[in-house]
Amino acid sequence: MASREPLDHVVAGSGPGLVLIHGTGADATSNWGALIDAVRDRYTVVAPNLPGAGATPADPAPIDLDSLADRVVATAQAAGLERFHLAGHSVGSVIATAVAARHPAAVTSLALHAGWVRTSPREAFMFDLWARLLRTDPALLARQLTLTAMGPGLLGSLDDAQFAEMAAGFTAMLDERILGQMELDTRIDLRDAVGRVTAPTLVLASADDQIIPPHHQRELAAAIHQADYLQVPGGHGLPFEDPARFFSIITEYVDRRQAQSGA
């Protein structure tokens, strides 16, 4: 069945399973490469590429969130993982939440950065702007993302050349293959799913997130039975803006949950 077809993915290391789901417009390596390198000595890490990323074809039809969650599990199983820790960034957190709700027996722990329960009209308007800019001129969208994805601490430290370099980096990531991911972003609604999440969960918020502001993460944490909430400085793009802080929080949480699982 097509909905169970594994996604293109990166797999590395050995040990207990850890599945990492990237955000809109990124891919497995750009979002998670440094973390994969840091933990491959003790985890089998699987990082799928969402439709339109890496070698995963863009979906011809609108992306179905439940089917995509099933494909994440199929991807983990193809790499030999029946049970795994699960972490996501941005829409990767949304997909991870759907995985944990649909496949509770597979998920040892859950770590969600910049996630949300339901797309509000504000975010739907923003995601539609992204799609319009991407179709018009990816470099314009890159400039908009530079100003909104990064926190004020980083933006306040950049000179002209560094702004140009960051915008060029975003531009290189952007092409129309990711329009399906942006369209999925506009219609997220996990209200029926979050109550079925049974895995212990860390909900991580960036205090200056202008894309998915922290009130969304507080709502997500409140809706999940066993959720801890942590807010740190920074913007939506924390994995890129402050990778050391971001990856240390994720790895410390996963290591602690792995020790507690007794596996």
Side-chain angles (χ1 to χ4, degrees):
M1 193 169 130
S3 67
R4 295 288 292 166
E5 184 181 338
L7 299 152
D8 174 50
H9 60 281
V10 173
V11 61
S14 61
L18 172 59
V19 174
L20 306 170
I21 310 179
H22 67 78
T24 304
D27 61 25
T29 304
S30 67
N31 202 148
W32 300 108
L35 179 61
I36 294 169
D37 289 342
V39 302
R40 62 190 299 167
D41 64 326
R42 59 193 190 279
Y43 292 98
T44 301
V45 188
V46 176
N49 283 306
L50 300 179
T56 303
D59 278 10
I63 296 171
D64 180 77
L65 180 59
D66 288 344
S67 295
L68 183 54
D70 292 347
R71 291 186 72 186
V72 169
V73 174
T75 306
Q77 291 172 340
L81 302 181
E82 293 297 325
R83 188 168 171 82
F84 45 83
H85 302 275
L86 183 57
H89 162 65
S90 192
V91 76
S93 288
V94 169
I95 297 162
T97 304
V99 169
R102 288 176 64 78
H103 302 275
V107 180
T108 306
S109 75
L110 195 56
L112 307 172
H113 174 248
W116 70 101
V117 175
R118 186 187 187 201
T119 304
S120 75
R122 173 200 169 271
E123 284 85 46
F125 188 84
M126 176 187 62
F127 294 135
D128 180 64
L129 173 62
W130 287 6
R132 290 168 186 249
L133 288 172
L134 179 56
R135 290 190 183 99
T136 305
D137 183 349
L140 290 181
L141 175 56
R143 285 173 171 253
Q144 204 259 354
L145 290 174
T146 298
L147 293 172
T148 56
M150 300 304 172
L154 178 65
L155 293 177
S157 72
L158 300 180
D159 61 23
D160 292 347
Q162 290 168 318
F163 270 105
E165 182 183 359
M166 185 171 290
F170 273 119
T171 304
M173 291 169 58
L174 298 170
D175 68 61
E176 294 200 8
R177 294 176 68 226
I178 64 171
L179 284 168
Q181 297 176 27
M182 292 179 179
E183 191 277 330
L184 173 63
D185 292 340
T186 67
R187 54 182 169 81
I188 297 303
D189 189 346
L190 290 172
R191 288 175 295 173
D192 290 339
V194 285
R196 298 196 299 273
V197 174
T198 58
T201 302
L202 172 67
V203 175
L204 178 62
S206 293
D208 299 303
D209 193 332
Q210 296 184 64
I211 292 175
I212 308 292
H215 70 85
H216 282 287
Q217 287 91 60
R218 289 194 292 270
E219 179 186 4
L220 182 60
I224 294 175
H225 295 307
Q226 295 188 75
D228 296 323
Y229 176 80
L230 176 63
Q231 184 169 301
V232 297
H236 186 80
L238 193 64
F240 311 94
E241 176 184 334
D242 192 351
R245 181 197 296 267
F246 178 73
F247 293 139
S248 70
I249 291 169
I250 299 295
T251 52
E252 286 168 17
Y253 183 75
V254 171
D255 285 344
R256 188 166 79 250
R257 288 301 180 186
Q258 176 58 29
Q260 292 170 347
S261 74

